[in-house]
Amino acid sequence: MLFFAFIVCAIAVNNVSSKIGYFWHITDIHYDANYVAANDYTRSCKRSAIDQQVLDMERPSLTTGSGRLGDYGCDSPWTLIQSALKAMKEKHGDNIEFVLWSGDSVSSDVEDSAARVMAIQNVTNLLIHTFSSQFVFPVLGHDDPGALKGQMIGYTELGNYWRQWLPTDAIQTFNKGGYYTIEQKGNKLRIIALNSNAFSTLKGHQNVNPDEQLEWLEKILNKSVKNKETVYLVSHMCPGANERDHDEAPTFHDKYSVKYLLMIRRFANIIVGQFCGHLHSDTFRIVYDQNKKPVSWMMIAPSLSPNKSPGVSNNPGLRLYKFNTNTGHILDYTQYYIDLESSTNGDPDEWRIEYNLTHYYGLHEITPKSLHMIAETFQEEDSPQFDRYIAANSVRQYKPKDCNLECRRAQYCAVTELDYGRFHSCVETAAEALSGSAGPPCGDALLAATFVLLIALTQRYYYH
C-alpha cells in the first residue's frame, strides 16, 4: 500500500501542496506482437480483404509503408507501447499517485492463446518496470486473455501477475470475478475496478454473475456512504452507444445498463469520477436524473492503438488527470498524443500536448452541469465547442468538416442519452426531421435544433 502511505505522509508534511495530485490513464493498448514495420504496408499486420480494400480507398497516403511506431490500419507494435510508457514516465512519472489501465491490452488479431498470455505478461512487466513506486489499477477488457472461457489463463492467474498492485482482499474478489476495490484510507477516496465484460452483449465471457457483481458494487457504495468516502469507478466499457458506430459490439446489455445507471444516479453524490476506454475515441458521457438534471459524468479516453475499425482510426493518445487528493474531485486533465504521420522516433518530446480540458472548453470546473453545457452547444449550427470536440474525438485524425449535421446529432445523442432505446430514438427523430417528417421529439432540446437540422436535407452521416 505504498501509494496510500505516501499520500498520508505527504498530507502530514504539507497539507496545502498535497491537495493536488496526478494520475495517468492508458487504455486499449491492443499489443500486436506480429506487427512488422515494412515498406509494403500490406505486410505490417493481419488484415482481412475487406479491411485492405477500405484502407486502400480511405487512406491512400499510407500505402507507402508502415512506420516503426505503427500504422493507422494496425494495432500497436511494441515500439509504440515502449514509446508511450517512456513518455508517461519522463513527462510526469515520479510524482504521480497511480495509473489507471483500462483493458484491451492484446490485439484480437493475435489468436494463439500462449502468445496472448505472453503479450499481457510483457505489458504488465513494462508497467511494473516503468512505475516501480506507484500503484497500477488494471481492469479487464473484452479482448484480454482471461476474459473469455476456454482460454489458457483465468482470473486467478492474471491476479498473480498483478499481485504487486493488488492487496489480498482485492485479489480475493478479482480471483472470483475480475473486479475489486481499494480504499485510500488517508484521504477517503475509494477506487472500484469493475469487470464490465460481465454486463456485455457478447457471449462466451467467463462465468461472472452480473447481478452478483452489481450487488457487490451496491454493498461497497453503501459502505462508502457510511464512511464518508468519495469513489472512482474504473471499467473497460461505459454504458451507452458508440458515437462513431452505433451498432458496434460489445456494449452493455440493456438489462444491466438500466440497473447500472440507476445505481449511478442513486450514488451520484459520492461518485466523483468514472473512467473508461473501449471506444477508441475521446469523448464523455453525462448521466441525468429523472428530471433531466445532470448528476454524474463519465470520461472515455482514446486508445493507444491507432486502429479502430476499417476506415476509422485515430492517433495514439495518453491522458494525465489532475485531482484534489483530499476529495478526489477532478480538477483538469491534459491529453497527450503522437501524430503517426509525422513522428518517426517515438521520443517523449514527440508526444505532445493535444489540449488541456478546462482551457480547451473554457471551463472553470469539471462538473456534470459544466459538461452538459458543452454538450448543448453541439446543437448549434456553428459551434466552436463542437469543432474542438470533434477534432479531439479522433485525436486529430479527422477534421470538423468531416462531421455533418447527422454526425453532429449522433455525437450529441451519444453524450446525453446513455439508455440505448432513448439514444436510437434521439438519432431517428433527427433523421425524421431531416426528411421533413419529424415524429415525437426525444427530448426538449431537439426542438431548438430542428431548424438547424432541416438545412441538411441532402447531407449524409459518414467519416472520411
Side-chain angles (χ1 to χ4, degrees):
M1 306 295 286
L2 293 176
F3 157 57
F4 305 117
F6 169 80
I7 293 296
V8 173
C9 292
I11 291 175
V13 172
N14 191 333
N15 188 52
V16 175
S17 62
S18 69
K19 289 183 179 180
I20 304 299
Y22 297 87
F23 64 89
W24 283 103
H25 184 190
I26 184 169
T27 189
D28 295 272
I29 294 172
H30 287 282
Y31 170 36
D32 184 357
N34 298 321
Y35 179 92
V36 176
N39 291 330
D40 177 4
Y41 86 118
T42 62
R43 295 175 51 241
S44 56
C45 63
K46 181 180 178 181
R47 292 189 177 106
S48 69
I50 295 176
D51 289 349
Q52 195 60 59
Q53 289 173 6
V54 173
L55 285 164
D56 288 341
M57 179 177 63
E58 299 286 355
R59 297 287 175 211
S61 62
L62 298 180
T63 59
T64 56
S66 299
R68 191 179 71 86
L69 293 177
D71 178 278
Y72 289 113
C74 300
D75 279 326
S76 302
W78 186 245
T79 47
L80 177 61
I81 302 169
Q82 288 177 310
S83 170
L85 270 291
K86 183 179 179 182
M88 291 165 70
K89 181 68 173 180
E90 295 193 12
K91 291 185 179 297
H92 212 107
D94 293 334
N95 59 341
I96 64 161
E97 314 298 344
F98 52 85
V99 177
L100 301 183
W101 175 22
S102 57
D104 270 12
S105 298
V106 182
S107 173
S108 59
D109 288 338
V110 178
E111 297 176 350
D112 180 75
S113 294
R116 293 176 65 77
V117 172
M118 184 173 291
I120 201 77
Q121 284 181 301
N122 289 341
V123 175
T124 297
N125 290 337
L126 184 60
L127 279 161
I128 289 173
H129 175 76
T130 305
F131 297 104
S132 58
S133 301
Q134 286 87 21
F135 265 65
V136 176
F137 297 108
V139 297
L140 284 171
H142 64 283
D143 279 332
D144 288 329
L148 298 175
K149 294 180 181 178
Q151 295 188 349
M152 290 178 59
I153 190 170
Y155 297 137
T156 301
E157 291 82 3
L158 277 174
N160 285 332
Y161 294 156
W162 298 338
R163 278 190 175 276
Q164 172 160 330
W165 305 316
L166 307 184
T168 301
D169 53 349
I171 285 289
Q172 289 175 350
T173 57
F174 185 87
N175 289 350
K176 180 181 180 181
Y179 52 86
Y180 62 91
T181 182
I182 296 180
E183 58 181 321
Q184 180 194 353
K185 294 182 179 179
N187 292 320
K188 297 287 187 178
L189 173 64
R190 177 179 292 277
I191 293 176
I192 301 176
L194 297 172
N195 183 358
S196 59
N197 296 321
F199 310 128
S200 171
T201 53
L202 285 186
K203 297 181 179 180
H205 288 292
Q206 287 205 44
N207 187 24
V208 181
N209 186 324
D211 289 309
E212 187 174 299
Q213 185 177 185
L214 287 171
E215 290 168 4
W216 171 84
L217 174 60
E218 183 178 22
K219 179 180 178 181
I220 297 299
L221 290 171
N222 276 317
K223 180 180 178 181
S224 293
V225 171
K226 182 179 179 180
N227 294 339
K228 298 181 179 179
E229 298 171 334
T230 51
V231 170
Y232 286 170
L233 296 180
V234 188
S235 59
H236 177 63
M237 286 189 295
C238 280
N242 184 337
E243 74 281 354
R244 289 203 272 175
D245 186 346
H246 306 171
D247 299 315
E248 185 181 49
T251 59
F252 267 55
H253 190 284
D254 284 337
K255 174 182 177 181
Y256 300 114
S257 175
V258 169
K259 291 183 177 181
Y260 185 85
L261 291 172
L262 283 173
M263 199 174 302
I264 298 303
R265 295 182 183 104
R266 178 181 168 191
F267 293 98
N269 288 340
I270 66 166
I271 298 172
V272 294
Q274 297 181 72
F275 309 95
C276 310
H278 175 57
L279 297 185
H280 293 217
S281 299
D282 184 340
T283 185
F284 60 92
R285 300 290 184 262
I286 304 167
V287 181
Y288 298 86
D289 65 13
Q290 64 274 18
N291 298 316
K292 262 305 195 181
K293 175 185 175 182
V295 295
S296 189
W297 54 255
M298 303 173 183
M299 290 294 179
I300 301 176
S303 61
L304 181 68
S305 170
N307 181 41
K308 176 174 170 61
S309 59
V312 183
S313 56
N314 51 270
N315 280 308
L318 300 166
R319 182 169 291 178
L320 178 69
Y321 281 95
K322 178 181 179 182
F323 74 115
N324 184 316
T325 60
N326 290 336
T327 65
H329 285 93
I330 297 298
L331 304 175
D332 212 343
Y333 72 66
T334 300
Q335 185 66 41
Y336 289 88
Y337 81 115
I338 191 165
D339 189 330
L340 286 185
E341 290 191 79
S342 61
S343 300
T344 56
N345 297 320
D347 293 330
D349 287 344
E350 290 192 282
W351 285 87
R352 52 184 182 256
I353 294 176
E354 182 189 1
Y355 69 92
N356 172 272
L357 181 64
T358 55
H359 183 265
Y360 197 58
Y361 289 115
L363 300 177
H364 298 293
E365 59 181 355
I366 300 172
T367 64
K369 182 178 180 180
S370 67
L371 293 174
H372 164 77
M373 295 302 292
I374 292 174
E376 287 303 300
T377 68
F378 293 0
Q379 301 187 93
E380 299 171 6
E381 183 176 359
D382 296 306
S383 170
Q385 298 283 56
F386 181 78
D387 287 349
R388 294 187 185 103
Y389 166 84
I390 204 64
N393 184 250
S394 62
V395 196
R396 295 300 186 269
Q397 249 313 79
Y398 299 101
K399 308 298 182 185
K401 65 181 177 60
D402 296 327
C403 186
N404 63 23
L405 286 175
E406 275 188 271
C407 162
R408 182 190 300 263
R409 185 63 188 178
Q411 294 281 351
Y412 171 78
C413 294
V415 168
T416 59
E417 298 287 6
L418 275 66
D419 175 87
Y420 297 109
R422 290 180 62 86
F423 167 79
H424 286 292
S425 294
C426 183
V427 172
E428 289 166 6
T429 304
E432 291 172 357
L434 288 170
S435 65
S437 57
C442 69
D444 293 340
L446 180 62
L447 296 175
T450 300
F451 175 76
V452 173
L453 292 169
L454 287 173
I455 67 173
L457 288 170
T458 61
Q459 289 184 307
R460 206 161 48 90
Y461 168 36
Y462 73 104
Y463 280 88
H464 291 292

